[in-house]
Amino acid sequence: GAVVSQHPSWVICKSGTSVKIECRSLDFQATTMFWYRQFPKQSLMLMATSNEGSKATYEQGVEKDKFLINHASLTLSTLTVTSAHPEDSSFYICSALSYKPNRGGLRETQYFGPGTRLLVL
Amino acid sequence: AQSVTQLDSQVPVFEEAPVELRCNYSSSVSVYLFWYVQYPNQGLQLLLKYLSGSTLVESINGFEAEFNKSQTSFHLRKPSVHISDTAEYFCAASPMNQGGKLIFGQGTELSVKP
């Protein structure tokens, strides 16, 4: 099946620094990727939709200037947490949409990365 | 607006017993429905999905879920669980007109005991 990777898998940083997380679709091209965050013992919350070659679409309540998303190629989207604070500590998960031919049309499947655990001290 | 509700946050069960994890959704448009599994310290893995056709869908490891439009439910079942099924299970809905966006339920922690 399709594979999505994330790098780094975990990161510890000091408060005030910026952290970049990469999401790559390894064996397919993805025009659309999604970024989620998951707090301990909670569900995934969609942060933004990342579209190749255009600006990301952010969900209500997500600060676009704090969570910068760049989808510069069909296989890579990056999330940069700017001026990170302890409350930004979370598990960040990306996913990528894959389209495959199916019965004369296209079947859409979303593949998830393994996640990046961010701890801000 | 859409929402997904998983009615049980934790489900403890003994090995080889049957289990049902409940999921209800609310949406003003048609949705696709999914169950994902998350093992400790890992990412999400797709367990099964309902897109169209038969309302009963099955996974390769014995789970099944039935789409019930009248009750807006998509409960997950397995007739006999194993220790290895211990994980967090998430129900999710994807509105058909929103480009693949997923709305997740709160998750159900399935704990299988020997």
Side-chain angles (χ1 to χ4, degrees), chain B:
Chain B
Q2 296 85 25
S3 66
V4 176
T5 302
Q6 290 180 244
L7 298 168
D8 307 295
S9 60
Q10 294 180 319
V11 174
V13 64
F14 287 107
E15 192 174 20
E16 298 184 5
V19 71
E20 179 180 78
L21 307 183
R22 296 180 291 170
C23 172
N24 287 88
Y25 68 93
S26 172
S27 177
S28 56
V29 300
S30 296
V31 296
Y32 301 122
L33 294 163
F34 305 81
W35 275 99
Y36 286 88
V37 58
Q38 185 180 34
Y39 298 101
N41 298 312
Q42 295 186 28
L44 270 72
Q45 299 174 33
L46 179 64
L47 192 59
L48 46 76
K49 59 186 175 184
Y50 170 76
L51 303 180
S52 64
S54 172
T55 57
L56 184 66
V57 290
E58 299 177 350
S59 71
I60 59 174
N61 57 351
F63 283 94
E64 64 178 29
E66 185 162 19
F67 169 57
N68 188 318
K69 188 174 183 179
S70 63
Q71 297 185 6
T72 61
S73 68
F74 191 55
H75 301 332
L76 181 70
R77 292 187 286 263
K78 188 171 185 179
S80 175
V81 294
H82 301 288
I83 298 284
S84 60
D85 293 323
T86 295
E88 188 86 16
Y89 291 80
F90 292 97
C91 181
S94 180
M96 289 186 184
N97 62 348
Q98 294 190 19
K101 182 187 296 189
L102 282 171
I103 297 124
F104 284 88
Q106 301 90 328
T108 296
E109 183 181 345
L110 175 63
S111 176
V112 182
K113 304 180 186 304

